[in-house]
Amino acid sequence: MNVKEYLIGKMKERTVHLALLDPDKQDSREAGAIAKKVKEAGADAIMIGGSTGVTSENLSNTARCIKEASGLPTIHFPGGPSALSEDVDSIFFMSMVNSMDPFWIMNAQAGAARHIKKLGIETISLGYIIVEPGMKVGEVGKADAVRRDDTDRAVGYALACEMLGMDFVYLEAGSGADVPVPSEMISAVKKSISIPLIVGGGIRTPEAAEAARLAGADAIVTGTFVERCLDDTMLRSVVNASKGR
Ligand code: 1GP
């Protein structure tokens, strides 16, 4: 399966919902059980990753359990170049474009590229833009986070990603953020680019998911919410609000 084509195909119909599971937050069997529930709720694919504590081993085990339990396409969402696995269907080959450290802009990628090619994993290039508060990923990636009111700067980065030929742009407020990316910023970025826009960080209610969708997100990511949600009805409400159905 070509995951990029699958996602773009789905995005033509409606906003896509991506559930993010961190191999460091639960064991692989539990990740499989969550993936099954989110599949039933309507999620379109599963991202696997986290900023710390991900190893090739827990990544592989998690990817296998998710695949077996849900059958959904998997996308490795890497926290660095060291943990890689051929058990994922694809990888977001991403650059944190507003990092202050060249390692996260292109050096980590250069270090991992030959290995990824050898493993034969489908790469989906992604411009990763950290917006305040940025949380752990902003800290680890030494991001010069875009201020929540600095929409022009977000648009500039997103356009630069498109001009550099990247497949997708991701506006990231950071996992567990108390506020998601502002709707005005999503909407301004969406209007300025023609490649798909992914939005994530701090989305844990149907209202927040709906706001991101109405502002123009092509894909909405929820991590903390899906990992912690014990209420299937609530899970379905957030996925449905993401997808607009
Ligand atoms: C983090 O955008 C994702 O990379 C998801 O964030 O855990 O807050 O949903 P949450």
Side-chain angles (χ1 to χ4, degrees):
M1 153 188 290
N2 183 295
V3 179
K4 185 171 90 175
E5 279 172 17
Y6 164 84
L7 291 175
I8 290 175
K10 291 257 171 194
M11 286 165 178
K12 283 186 185 140
E13 291 161 28
R14 51 158 56 100
T15 301
V16 157
H17 185 267
L18 304 174
L20 169 64
L21 297 177
D22 183 343
D24 192 37
K25 298 264 173 66
Q26 62 272 303
D27 67 33
S28 49
R29 239 175 258 211
E30 211 177 317
I34 300 171
K36 186 166 186 283
K37 277 204 305 184
V38 297
K39 156 92 190 293
E40 284 159 6
D44 297 290
I46 310 278
M47 288 164 54
I48 307 170
S51 298
T52 52
V54 180
T55 62
S56 297
E57 194 189 356
N58 64 19
L59 171 65
S60 277
N61 292 339
T62 299
R64 278 201 293 266
C65 285
I66 287 174
K67 198 77 202 172
E68 201 180 298
S70 74
L72 283 173
T74 54
I75 310 160
H76 181 194
F77 182 51
S82 50
L84 290 170
S85 164
E86 57 194 336
D87 291 311
V88 293
D89 296 316
S90 60
I91 181 170
F92 277 145
F93 196 72
M94 51 203 274
S95 172
M96 188 188 284
V97 290
N98 60 331
S99 173
M100 293 181 293
D101 183 346
F103 178 78
W104 297 107
I105 302 171
M106 195 46 82
N107 292 353
Q109 296 76 353
R114 286 189 305 156
H115 193 189
I116 292 173
K117 178 131 183 148
K118 206 156 140 199
L119 293 176
I121 306 164
E122 176 193 341
T123 52
I124 304 172
S125 64
L126 180 98
Y128 193 46
I129 304 168
I130 305 296
V131 178
E132 285 181 338
M135 310 302 286
K136 188 81 185 171
V137 71
E139 199 184 300
V140 172
K142 300 193 184 73
D144 177 16
V146 177
R147 276 199 340 260
R148 291 175 53 76
D149 62 358
D150 198 349
T151 296
D152 286 350
R153 187 162 169 245
V155 169
Y157 274 117
L159 262 179
C161 292
E162 174 168 319
M163 290 170 180
L164 282 164
M166 291 176 175
D167 293 318
F168 294 166
V169 164
Y170 190 145
L171 284 175
E172 170 72 276
S175 184
D178 54 351
V179 278
V181 175
S183 295
E184 304 70 43
M185 186 179 281
I186 298 172
S187 147
V189 167
K190 175 66 189 169
K191 279 186 199 130
S192 68
I193 58 173
S194 53
I195 54 174
L197 174 61
I198 304 174
V199 176
I203 297 174
R204 50 184 163 262
T205 61
E207 293 75 20
E210 185 175 60
R213 175 175 58 79
L214 293 176
D218 295 294
I220 292 174
V221 180
T222 60
T224 311
F225 169 75
V226 295
E227 285 176 336
R228 294 191 186 158
C229 183
L230 299 171
D231 177 347
D232 289 352
T233 311
M234 185 61 179
L235 185 61
R236 208 165 295 121
S237 319
V238 169
V239 174
N240 284 341
S242 303
K243 299 178 67 149
R245 56 177 202 184

